[in-house]
Amino acid sequence: ASVQSGGSLRREMGDAAEEALLRSVNDALGEANGWRDASSTELTRAYDTLVITGGLMAGLAEQNDPAMRGMARDMADSTLRAFGLTP
């Protein structure tokens, strides 16, 4: 699996860490009652939201502005915490 981030996630984390992160997020979603009980329309909306949010974080992370990169990291940390994962 690959995260579309222009390679910045892979450069920062490495392939093994990226795979572990994606597996952890997938497992957390699979265990979430709201996710399991969601309709196909709700799942599509959630997926679309996650793709847009991920793209936004990736775009911010690739900026030359340290404040923007920090904002991307904060958003990523908050997203992971929302899924019960430790950044």
Side-chain angles (χ1 to χ4, degrees):
S2 179
V3 174
Q4 299 301 316
S5 65
S8 64
L9 178 64
R10 183 167 285 122
R11 280 193 306 269
E12 186 174 329
M13 296 181 68
D15 289 341
E18 177 187 351
E19 288 297 324
L21 173 63
L22 293 174
R23 193 171 26 263
S24 295
V25 170
N26 183 64
D27 292 348
L29 289 174
E31 294 172 4
N33 289 332
W35 194 261
R36 284 193 312 251
D37 299 335
S39 70
S40 59
T41 300
E42 292 169 323
L43 290 173
T44 298
R45 286 182 182 148
Y47 173 79
D48 291 347
T49 300
L50 290 169
V51 168
I52 291 167
T53 302
L56 175 61
M57 285 186 278
L60 290 172
E62 293 181 353
Q63 298 299 309
N64 288 329
D65 182 347
M68 293 293 199
R69 289 193 308 266
M71 187 182 307
R73 180 167 300 281
D74 291 345
M75 289 173 66
D77 289 351
S78 295
T79 301
L80 291 173
R81 283 190 192 96
F83 290 111
L85 301 170
T86 303

